[in-house]
Amino acid sequence: MEYFLELFLSGLTRGSIYALIALGYTMVYGIIELINFAHGEIYMIGAFTALIVASVLTLLGWNQIAIILLASLVAVIYSSAYGYTVEKLAYQPLRGAPRLSALISAIGMSLFLQNYVLLAQTSDFMPFPSLIPEFKFMEPYEHIVSSSEIVILATTALVMVLLTFLIKFTRMGKAMRATAQDREMAMLVGVDVDRIISFTFIIGSATAALGGVLIASHIGQINFYIGFLAGIKAFVAAVLGGIGSVPGAVVGSLVLGWTESFFTGYVSSDYEDVFAFLFLVFILIFRPQGIMGRAETEKV
């Protein structure tokens, strides 16, 4: 039972990180029906930004809690600026073009950001300091769940609550829902659609960067390629839950995280990625719209 609980919490941690990244995918798709394949690289840039800031502050002798808070803040702001810039340069000029053009642009931007960081940093794995302090009250349970996992779960839960409040109870959230439902009609009633789309990219980039900082501190190493696999898995999670649905992105991420964790623990860690994608195929065969997605009906 203890081993099962350990795997359960490990899967919950994985799923929480996937959820922070998948939110960006599903929000962007829900509004402009675009798969932003450069989103994983924003997650990676957030981790590298936090590493640089944390290294400087450590040399200056700052407190550990102050370091992680400031490093996270700078990473979120810097990555949000990248998300905004990517949307303006790679996607906005193609808004009226066929979807395939925007998709190719997204793939090209992903490769560009990967190689940009590769040239600016290194191809090797770089050690990432453990920024999250160890809590004394967690010592009896360290063999089951670590302090960093608790921080990841709490941060993810807080982000979900704030994002839900933003979407449901604010004017900006109402404009986002209107744009997602009918972009042309939203423009007719005075919604600045370009501003809403840019804001969506900023929010998605911020949550991805926060996930990058948390998981890098938990694992202890990063490199220029971490965004690719994490981005693909987060995209799988978004599709699994129902692409375009924010609650679906969270549910799909948790299901994927638990699937990987239990398969690794009880079967083999060599094929965890294969099993995750097979599980996606199985779900989409029997429920193409995803776990929480709605089947689209066309009127004749």
Side-chain angles (χ1 to χ4, degrees), residues 17-288:
I17 296 299
Y18 291 155
L20 289 174
I21 309 172
L23 284 171
Y25 278 114
T26 202
M27 289 171 64
V28 169
Y29 184 86
I31 289 187
I32 59 175
E33 295 186 347
L34 167 71
I35 303 300
N36 179 20
F37 280 113
H39 191 59
E41 277 56 57
I42 301 297
Y43 156 90
M44 175 264 295
I45 287 173
F48 267 99
T49 304
L51 175 61
I52 295 170
V53 174
S55 300
V56 173
L57 296 181
T58 301
L59 292 175
L60 295 176
W62 282 45
N63 178 272
Q64 187 176 11
I65 296 178
I67 290 175
I68 188 172
L69 291 177
L70 188 58
S72 300
L73 179 62
V74 173
V76 165
I77 295 174
Y78 195 66
S79 297
S80 297
Y82 263 94
Y84 176 83
T85 304
V86 166
E87 190 273 329
K88 289 299 181 185
L89 293 180
Y91 304 140
Q92 186 174 1
L94 298 173
R95 197 154 294 162
R99 289 188 187 179
L100 186 59
S101 301
L103 181 63
I104 294 172
S105 180
I107 295 173
M109 185 57 66
S110 172
L111 294 174
F112 170 78
L113 291 176
Q114 275 186 37
N115 287 275
Y116 161 69
V117 176
L118 170 63
L119 295 174
Q121 300 295 328
T122 175
S123 60
D124 299 327
F125 275 93
M126 300 179 65
F128 197 99
S130 180
L131 301 177
I132 301 175
E134 298 294 332
F135 304 127
K136 291 185 178 180
F137 69 90
M138 288 297 301
E139 288 181 1
Y141 313 102
E142 281 291 332
H143 60 291
I144 298 177
V145 58
S146 65
S147 299
S148 60
E149 289 176 327
I150 292 295
V151 171
I152 289 173
L153 297 178
T155 303
T156 303
L158 179 61
V159 169
M160 300 308 168
V161 171
L162 293 176
L163 190 59
T164 300
F165 178 81
L166 170 70
I167 293 175
K168 289 190 174 183
F169 302 108
T170 66
R171 187 175 181 180
M172 182 66 74
K174 185 182 294 185
M176 291 170 66
R177 286 184 282 127
T179 304
Q181 186 173 4
D182 193 324
R183 193 191 313 174
E184 293 183 358
M185 186 58 68
M187 293 174 65
L188 289 175
V189 297
V191 175
D192 189 343
V193 171
D194 287 337
R195 179 167 167 255
I196 295 301
I197 294 173
S198 297
F199 180 75
T200 303
F201 272 85
I202 290 172
I203 293 296
S205 300
T207 60
L210 188 59
V213 176
L214 291 173
I215 197 63
S217 180
H218 177 63
I219 294 176
Q221 61 179 8
I222 59 173
N223 81 333
F224 78 101
Y225 202 65
I226 61 169
F228 178 76
L229 186 58
I232 291 295
K233 287 190 176 182
F235 172 65
V236 168
V239 175
L240 188 62
I243 190 73
S245 168
V246 171
V250 178
V251 171
S253 298
L254 295 179
V255 169
L256 181 62
W258 281 323
T259 300
E260 288 186 351
S261 182
F262 285 122
F263 184 83
T264 301
Y266 288 117
V267 184
S268 172
S269 62
D270 295 333
Y271 304 102
E272 65 173 271
D273 296 336
V274 175
F275 187 79
F277 286 103
L278 286 177
F279 184 69
L280 171 69
V281 172
F282 177 80
I283 289 291
L284 294 184
I285 287 175
F286 295 98
R287 190 173 175 81

Side-chain angles (χ1 to χ4, degrees), residues 295-300:
E296 296 183 1
T297 55
E298 295 184 4
K299 294 183 179 181
V300 179

